[in-house]
Amino acid sequence: MTVQEILMPLIQEAVFQSFGVKPEKIEFQTTRKDFEGDLTVVLFPLLKLIKGNPAQIGVAIGDFLVQKEGPVIRYNVVAGFLNLVISDSYYLTFFNSIRSQVKFGFMSQTDPKAVMVEYSSPNTNKPLHLGHIRNNLLGYSVAEILKASGKNVYKTQIINDRGIHICKSMLAWQKWGNGQTPESTGLKGDKLVGNFYVEFDKAYKLEIQQLIAEGKSVEDAKKMAPILLEAQEMLRKWEAGDPEVVTLWKTMNQWVYDGFATTYSQLGVDFDSYYYESNTYLLGKEVVQMGLEKGVFERDPDGSVWIDLTAEGLDRKIVLRSDGTAVYMTQDIGTAIQRVSDFPDVGGMVYTVGNEQDYHFKVLFLILKKLGFEWAANLFHLSYGMVELPSGKMKSREGTVVDADDLMNEMTQTAGTIAEELGKLDGFSDADKAALFKTIGLGALKYYILKVDPKKQILFNPEESVDFNGNTGPFIQYTHARICSILRRATFDYQKTVTVELHEKEKELIKMIAMFPSVIQDAARNHSPALIANYTYELVKEYNSFYQSVSILGETDIEKKIFRVQLSEKVAQTIKNAFGLLGIEVPERM
């Protein structure tokens, strides 16, 4: 049991005996470094139940805990905080109880209701870029954290495989492709198709300039450009099921899917199901009729259907056009309902989408609640900020995006260059080096992105992310490799249980390890991989302080040596498990 679980009923009993009331909840926090103590009870919430000052309440609880001869050996009260000093024997007993738990901190599935996490959701007219990397890393990591917290999780994405942007690439390929394929060009399919999207934009801009030179306004020129009109006609043919257009659409989309699959594999993310906009864009229309019958929606004189959310501080939102065609909101309503139909145990969903869609998801979630779906109370928009480079924003149409594959390759090369310069590669074969560089490079990229709170914007600096010092992935990976080296050199049997007097640094490490289960639960509640990332960094800093303060393999007392190796092994295991939740591998040698 954690010390909090042991102390909770004791503190409730102490309050009841001293003041005649029993608090439902006790608030704990880690004791600040400038005070003596291991665990702090926040006393202010108890003032709602007890008349008196916090110091009196703290002394009463502290005296009771010390007299009980439990884990608390002494205490002090500072303002509204009761700081408790926990015995070494408790920490030793706790450590020995979790030492063999390889997945300490991970909960087995406790909730019969599953969570569906949507991420990636790309367009099939271009490769994945740096923004998609943040989306994928966040979605994948949140899914893994939710699993570790005891949830059953389904990972999904909706692929935007229809619309005018797709037709632009298709039309450009028809005009200038000369039958090119991924095989004939040696390009990944998503890159090939993305090149033609850029070609379309170049031609479109030239036609706009020509129309403006002929006296047309900018707005008219944008609407009248012949190549745009051709793309619009192609979209009409696609919607009408024209065999030639549909065949080309299927062919080029498959090129892109194959390219995406390679990128996902390299990035280390996966999915349990896929939804395609070409299959879902008609969903939701029948729900509109249900909403009309329930009085959730209203029909305007022109036949269009709306929902009035002004009472909730939003606006009126259209859900069906006057010609009977759906809008994106209609489609999202229908897709959400379809997912619960496909996966009946789903009781909530997480949508990993950039913060420019914040309003859209407020409206979507509110509509689904008004329609009466119970699971609508458990919908969450994992909103995140944009990723920018020192050079500024990226633009797909102009071909100035940072391609995901190129970035991952660049990170691998940068990691290799730095590792070579540091001279950390003695005894590595070329194959070992290549694998290590990829592990370090991708670890640097993932950690740099995931350590930042999702809501914040990121200015991504590739070289800074591969630094082997500071709050970086390689720094943490190096500490893991250092511990693995200690374990390899520990040629004695270090598995037996020992009793030792704890060094201050050993106690601090055990306290850090004990926090891991609650960090996982906090990260799951907040949908924040940053909590896992920064916990791991703090654990590694604590371990490095321990490593500098005490001798491990050089210790002459065999029981202390055994314990320190055991403690090192548990730290390495915790690092590996924490980084696994972030989708980051940890090497055993660096």
Side-chain angles (χ1 to χ4, degrees), residues 430-447:
D430 289 343
D432 288 341
K433 285 182 182 180
L436 178 63
F437 297 161
K438 182 178 178 183
T439 298
I440 296 172
L442 287 180
L445 170 64
K446 293 179 180 184
Y447 187 82

Side-chain angles (χ1 to χ4, degrees), residues 27 56 324 351 494 510:
E27 186 178 334
Q56 289 175 323
Y351 293 82
Y494 56 83
I510 296 172

Side-chain angles (χ1 to χ4, degrees), residues 2 98 113 132 168 227 290 321 393 419 427 448 520 570:
T2 65
I98 66 161
K113 288 294 185 183
H132 290 118
K168 288 176 180 178
I227 196 168
M290 179 182 79
R321 296 189 184 97
K393 292 185 177 180
Y448 195 92
I520 291 175
K570 197 65 190 177

Side-chain angles (χ1 to χ4, degrees), residues 107-125:
M107 293 281 290
S108 55
Q109 188 184 331
T110 55
D111 191 339
K113 288 294 185 183
V115 180
M116 182 168 278
V117 181
E118 175 192 294
Y119 55 96
S120 197
S121 305
N123 295 323
T124 55
N125 65 324

Side-chain angles (χ1 to χ4, degrees), residues 3 30 62 89 136 139 166 202 206 214 232 234 252 271 278 286 299 321 360 404 554 561:
V3 70
T30 303
S89 61
N136 275 271
I166 310 296
K202 289 178 182 175
L206 285 174
E214 293 171 3
Q232 291 170 341
M234 179 178 276
M252 293 183 70
F271 303 90
S278 55
E286 68 280 4
R299 194 184 296 277
R321 296 189 184 97
H360 174 86
K561 184 193 293 192

Side-chain angles (χ1 to χ4, degrees), residues 181-188:
T181 67
E183 290 76 22
S184 71
T185 59
L187 287 174
K188 281 174 78 243

